[in-house]
Amino acid sequence: MRELGGERLILRLVEVEAYLGPEDRASHTWGGRRTARVASMWLGGGHAYVYFVYGLHYCLNVVCGEPGEGTAVLLRAGEAVAGAARMAALRGLAHAPRPGELAGGPARLCAALAVDRRLDGASLLAGELHLAAGEPVADDEVARGPRVGVAYAGKAARWPLRFALAGHRETSRPRLGG
DNA sequence: GACTCGATCGGCT
DNA sequence: GCCGATCGAGTCT
């Protein structure tokens, strides 16, 4: 849930990826890296970790576990529950978004919720950006597969740590089968 | 101090 | 399906 100027923008998360900390080569905390950029990923669970990538995109993670674990979940896609028009405007879309276009992809999700570095390290338990428990999802509704864009990570690149609602239309590309 | 490349997206072919 | 954009963190010298 994103609160922006009194308006509520609500996304239901439909796709995420897990990053397991120092032993996960695809993780920014691989090998115990403690640099300024990843500092917030070492915070305790419930904090946001926002980073800038490719010179023009932001990605939003939810930090997990105890302080010092360095584990997080990347939010890859969501479907609009409320505030879709505002989110489309934030995305700069002049037309009604097609399925998957509004927040289907980590950088799109950040753009739709106006997330940038100012929210890096912020608490997600309260405040203008926060997580709320949603409907429970049965195990057989969840498709899983290898993560995206981490081919450099060797063996860890093949770990099935990407999770999405099976057959959901808002998930990011490349679409997870199932 | 300089160089390399990335947890991406959108436009063009 | 392929490729360029764009910049800062990380790494090496």
Side-chain angles (χ1 to χ4, degrees):
Chain A
M1 213 283 277
R2 174 79 160 119
E3 191 123 21
L4 207 61
E7 186 172 2
R8 295 178 130 200
L9 309 182
I10 301 177
L11 277 183
R12 178 191 185 210
L13 298 175
V14 297
E15 184 184 351
V16 299
E17 280 179 7
Y19 289 85
L20 301 185
E23 72 272 25
D24 178 1
R25 194 169 167 188
S27 171
H28 288 174
T29 49
W30 177 60
R33 283 179 168 73
R34 281 182 171 277
T35 58
R37 180 171 71 144
V38 304
S40 54
M41 193 165 162
W42 292 103
L43 298 173
H47 290 269
Y49 166 46
V50 180
Y51 68 93
F52 188 58
V53 73
Y54 293 120
L56 63 163
H57 296 304
Y58 291 98
C59 293
L60 170 63
N61 297 246
V62 178
V63 181
C64 301
E66 297 296 318
E69 276 189 26
T71 59
V73 169
L74 169 68
L75 307 186
R76 289 194 59 86
E79 71 174 336
V81 174
R86 183 71 186 279
M87 288 190 257
L90 286 164
R91 285 286 322 284
L93 300 174
H95 56 87
R98 289 185 289 274
E101 198 179 43
L102 186 61
R108 289 167 165 179
L109 188 149
C110 284
L113 295 181
V115 168
D116 61 26
R117 288 188 75 97
R118 285 172 301 192
L119 289 167
D120 186 34
S123 171
L124 294 173
L125 304 181
E128 64 181 43
L129 176 67
H130 67 256
L131 283 172
E135 299 279 319
V137 176
D139 285 352
D140 61 9
E141 293 179 65
V142 179
R144 56 190 298 174
R147 292 172 293 187
V148 177
V150 296
Y152 61 87
K155 188 175 62 177
R158 296 192 294 276
W159 294 350
L161 293 176
R162 182 182 180 201
F163 304 91
L165 291 185
H168 203 280
R169 298 173 62 81
E170 291 279 348
T171 52
S172 67
R173 296 193 309 171
R175 190 147 294 158
L176 204 52

